Amino acid sequence: MNDCLFCKIIAGEIPSTKVYEDEYVFAFRDINPQAPVHVLVLPKEHICCADKIDETNSMLVAKCFEAVAKIAKAEGLTNGYRVVNNCGADGGQTVKHLHFHILGGKKLDETMA
Ligand code: 5GP
Ligand code: ZN
């Protein structure tokens, strides 16, 4: 877990542009934005991926989505946005700490896969 990039960002050991934080959730701007607004929303507790969400930790996912709505409002995404989770190798997950991408600020590509 000490080797997790996003745990280090949450701990402030690696700098990030934070946009939101509460007891359960941390959010910051993606270093390689794919849209005018590209924010990563993650539980502070290390969960590796969506595949490991269960009844013991799903409350943290709910907290992430409460944060998504607040961040979208704060970022002015009144015309909509996309929330993406990549899970595992086929899903294209590169950082093994559960996170949700908020993408917005333009009309997004309709391709999903
Ligand atoms: P994934 O591919 O796992 O769904 O998403 C990982 C995301 O983390 C990518 O969009 C990538 O640009 C972003 N990312 C990787 N390293 C860093 C970093 O050090 N800082 C920030 N802010 N974003 C990062
Ligand atoms: Zn982590």
Side-chain angles (χ1 to χ4, degrees):
M1 216 167 288
N2 291 338
D3 269 352
C4 174
L5 173 67
F6 285 176
C7 281
K8 288 179 181 163
I9 286 178
I10 292 164
E13 293 165 17
I14 293 173
S16 70
T17 306
K18 182 171 79 174
V19 298
Y20 179 84
E21 181 175 14
D22 65 27
E23 185 180 351
Y24 303 104
V25 177
F26 197 89
F28 54 95
R29 296 198 191 283
D30 197 292
I31 205 167
N32 182 24
Q34 304 298 308
V37 174
H38 188 169
V39 173
L40 303 175
V41 182
L42 44 145
K44 286 182 170 176
E45 181 178 314
H46 182 91
I47 301 169
C48 79
C49 54
D51 208 38
K52 300 297 182 202
I53 298 167
D54 61 23
E55 64 280 2
T56 70
N57 59 23
S58 59
M59 178 271 276
L60 298 172
V61 178
K63 292 293 177 191
C64 284
F65 274 79
E66 289 175 25
V68 164
K70 290 177 191 168
I71 293 162
K73 278 190 189 68
E75 296 289 325
L77 301 179
T78 53
N79 210 36
Y81 53 92
R82 184 170 292 158
V83 180
V84 173
N85 170 256
N86 297 324
C87 180
D90 279 4
Q93 184 177 9
T94 59
V95 180
K96 304 289 188 293
H97 181 130
L98 178 67
H99 55 280
F100 301 97
H101 299 251
I102 302 176
L103 296 154
K106 69 170 187 181
K107 178 85 175 87
L108 297 165
D109 192 333
E110 286 173 19
T111 306
M112 289 289 286

